[in-house]
């Protein structure tokens, strides 16, 4: 069997070394020829040092070489940088063209494509695992919650036993919420959820969210300062409700007793802007980078109720709707802003 020897591509260093060497040699040669011709035909009129002539030719050649290097070397690196930003944003299906005249860049491209394939495979395995486990956990949690509710209605339970049953119900509800949010987040990440679009009143939906949370803000004697324009919106009504419930619920949870939560909704010529302000302690500087990460909780003691999925879920939903979400500290408390495109 005849063995075929593959031609090995040289690296960037080799190419640059050859380019610089050739440029110097060509600059000296051209400068010598030009100097000779000018001196021959112009005689004493031409009185320029050969050194300056070499420098001038080198500058002209260097400009042309810079354009070549920019197109052949820097452009592929910029393309790779853009692809890496997409991966950093969670898009693991990015692939770059593997062919290049430089061996080093081609090797980097091949390694990058291999990395994204492995990351995509790992993400699929993780998502499938989360989805399957969540489904399996959901059934026994529902059963435990049902039996606890039956016990809650039984006569003859001691005060201590009643307290235990109440705690079981509280924790099963928290687990149910965790499982439901995990499943929903998994479906959104895989884009397998039904994106049902309908026209509805956005301000009315936010009012419904405020009413759903009335027990929480009434218990803390929180004043709800609400100013909203009447806005019609086209989107997934069920998913958007998750966004408002989470953001308003968080504002009520982290604002002090007897303080105020401000809610604003307005539209411009191009977008819809929703803001919710609380009067709490604000977001820690280190936590600001991670508040939209899955399962991240700024309160490491876990004294506050929550599972670290609410903001991650809200962000995925808003991004699916073509909008953006952000959080920042105010002089007193913090503000979350949701921006949605007008359809």
């Amino acid at each position: 069997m005849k063995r075929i020897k593959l031609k090995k591509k040289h690296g960037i260093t080799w190419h640059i070394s050859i380019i610089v060497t050739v440029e110097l040699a060509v600059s000296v040669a051209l400068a010598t020829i030009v100097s000779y011709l000018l001196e021959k035909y112009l005689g004493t009129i031409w009185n320029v040092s050969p050194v300056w002539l070499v420098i001038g030719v080198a500058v002209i050649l260097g400009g042309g070489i810079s354009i070549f290097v920019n197109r052949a070397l820097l452009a592929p690196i910029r393309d790779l940088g853009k692809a890496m930003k997409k991966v950093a944003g969670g898009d693991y299906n990015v692939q770059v063209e593997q062919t290049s005249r430089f061996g080093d860049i081609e090797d980097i491209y091949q390694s990058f494509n291999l990395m994204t394939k492995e990351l995509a495979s790992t993400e699929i395995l993780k998502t499938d695992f989360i989805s399957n486990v969540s489904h399996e956990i959901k059934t026994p949690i529902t059963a435990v919650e049902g039996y606890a509710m039956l016990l809650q209605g039984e006569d003859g339970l001691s005060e201590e036993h009643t307290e235990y049953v109440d705690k079981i119900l509280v924790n099963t509800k928290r687990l149910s919420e965790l499982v439901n949010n995990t499943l929903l987040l998994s479906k959104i990440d895989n884009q397998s959820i039904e994106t049902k679009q309908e026209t509805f009143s956005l301000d009315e939906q936010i009012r419904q969210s405020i009413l759903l949370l009335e027990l929480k803000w009434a218990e803390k004697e929180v004043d709800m300062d609400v100013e909203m324009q009447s806005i019609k919106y086209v989107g997934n009504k069920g998913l958007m409700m998750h966004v408002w419930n989470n953001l308003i619920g968080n504002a009520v949870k982290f604002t002090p007793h007897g303080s105020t939560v401000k809610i604003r909704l307005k539209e411009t010529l191009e977008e819809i802007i929703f803001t919710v302000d609380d009067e709490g302690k604000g977001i820690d500087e280190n936590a600001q980078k991670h508040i939209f990460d899955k399962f991240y909780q700024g309160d490491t003691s876990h004294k506050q109720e929550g599972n670290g999925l609410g903001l991650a879920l809200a962000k995925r939903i808003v991004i699916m709707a073509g909008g953006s979400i952000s959080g920042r500290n105010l002089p007193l408390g913090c503000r979350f802003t949701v921006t949605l495109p007008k359809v």
Side-chain angles (χ1 to χ4, degrees):
M1 182 182 292
K2 186 178 180 180
R3 181 174 296 176
I4 300 174
K5 187 176 182 181
L6 297 175
K7 185 179 179 181
K8 184 178 180 181
K9 293 186 178 181
H10 296 289
I12 298 172
T13 306
W14 185 87
H15 281 88
I16 292 178
S17 300
I18 294 298
I19 289 172
V20 172
T21 302
V22 171
E23 182 194 4
L24 290 174
V26 171
S27 298
V28 173
L30 286 176
T32 302
I33 294 171
V34 171
S35 178
Y36 170 77
L37 293 174
L38 291 174
E39 187 175 351
K40 180 179 178 180
Y41 291 104
L42 297 179
T44 56
I45 299 176
W46 177 258
N47 188 22
V48 176
S49 172
V51 175
W52 287 107
L53 197 59
V54 170
I55 293 174
V57 174
V59 169
I60 296 172
L61 288 176
I65 291 172
S66 298
I67 295 173
F68 167 78
V69 170
N70 181 64
R71 291 181 178 178
L73 178 59
L74 298 183
I77 293 176
R78 284 195 294 268
D79 292 340
L80 182 62
K82 292 177 182 177
M84 293 175 71
K85 285 182 179 180
K86 291 182 179 179
V87 173
D91 183 3
Y92 302 129
N93 296 316
V94 180
Q95 292 285 292
V96 293
E97 186 179 353
Q98 295 188 14
T99 57
S100 173
R101 69 184 68 189
F102 300 109
D104 293 344
I105 291 181
E106 191 169 284
D107 290 341
I108 293 172
Y109 278 4
Q110 291 175 354
S111 299
F112 176 84
N113 289 339
L114 179 61
M115 177 193 72
T116 55
K117 286 181 180 178
E118 293 296 325
L119 286 172
S121 299
T122 303
E123 185 69 16
I124 290 172
L125 288 173
K126 183 186 73 173
T127 303
D128 289 344
F129 173 78
I130 291 173
S131 180
N132 292 331
V133 170
S134 298
H135 274 296
E136 293 299 323
I137 293 176
K138 192 172 183 178
T139 301
I141 289 176
T142 303
V144 171
E145 186 175 3
Y147 289 130
M149 291 178 70
L150 290 174
L151 286 173
Q152 194 178 37
E154 285 290 324
D155 296 329
L157 286 178
S158 66
E159 185 177 342
E160 185 179 8
H161 288 167
T162 302
E163 183 181 353
Y164 292 158
V165 172
D166 291 340
K167 287 182 178 180
I168 291 173
L169 282 172
V170 169
N171 286 284
T172 52
K173 286 179 180 178
R174 290 181 65 181
L175 280 173
S176 295
E177 183 182 354
L178 172 61
V179 171
N180 291 333
N181 285 344
T182 303
L183 283 171
L184 182 57
L185 191 58
S186 176
K187 290 177 181 177
I188 291 176
D189 284 340
N190 286 304
Q191 296 181 344
S192 61
I193 192 166
E194 180 185 2
T195 55
K196 182 181 178 182
Q197 303 289 308
E198 58 182 303
T199 303
F200 61 94
S201 174
L202 200 58
D203 55 298
E204 183 60 32
Q205 185 183 57
I206 295 172
R207 288 189 186 91
Q208 291 175 6
S209 176
I210 296 172
L211 290 175
L212 284 173
L213 297 166
E214 183 178 4
L215 288 177
K216 293 184 177 181
W217 53 263
E219 182 181 0
K220 295 182 70 173
E221 298 182 356
V222 171
D223 181 28
M224 304 298 288
D225 181 0
V226 182
E227 290 183 13
M228 296 189 292
Q229 295 179 2
S230 180
I231 299 174
K232 293 294 182 180
Y233 179 72
V234 179
N236 190 307
K237 189 175 182 179
L239 289 181
M240 293 308 300
M241 193 65 171
H242 282 280
V243 177
W244 316 132
N245 287 344
N246 177 262
L247 296 180
I248 298 173
N250 280 348
V252 172
K253 178 165 59 175
F254 293 109
T255 203
H257 189 279
S259 58
T260 301
V261 169
K262 295 181 181 179
I263 297 174
R264 300 290 184 269
L265 179 69
K266 65 179 182 179
E267 63 178 341
T268 64
L269 293 175
E270 297 180 351
E271 58 190 13
I272 299 168
I273 303 172
F274 167 87
T275 59
V276 55
D277 301 354
D278 64 53
E279 296 181 352
K281 296 180 179 179
I283 307 170
D284 182 78
E285 185 176 350
N286 295 325
Q288 288 185 27
K289 302 176 182 178
H290 306 285
I291 55 175
F292 295 106
D293 293 349
K294 288 185 285 189
F295 299 106
Y296 179 81
Q297 288 182 277
D299 178 20
T300 54
S301 65
H302 298 279
K303 291 180 180 180
Q304 295 279 3
E305 291 185 9
N307 45 54
L309 280 178
L311 286 176
L313 184 57
K315 182 177 181 179
R316 298 295 197 283
I317 294 170
V318 171
I319 290 176
M320 276 185 62
S324 63
I325 183 172
S326 62
R328 67 180 180 88
N329 286 332
L330 300 173
L332 178 62
C334 71
R335 169 179 294 171
F336 278 88
T337 302
V338 173
T339 303
L340 298 170
K342 291 182 67 175
V343 180

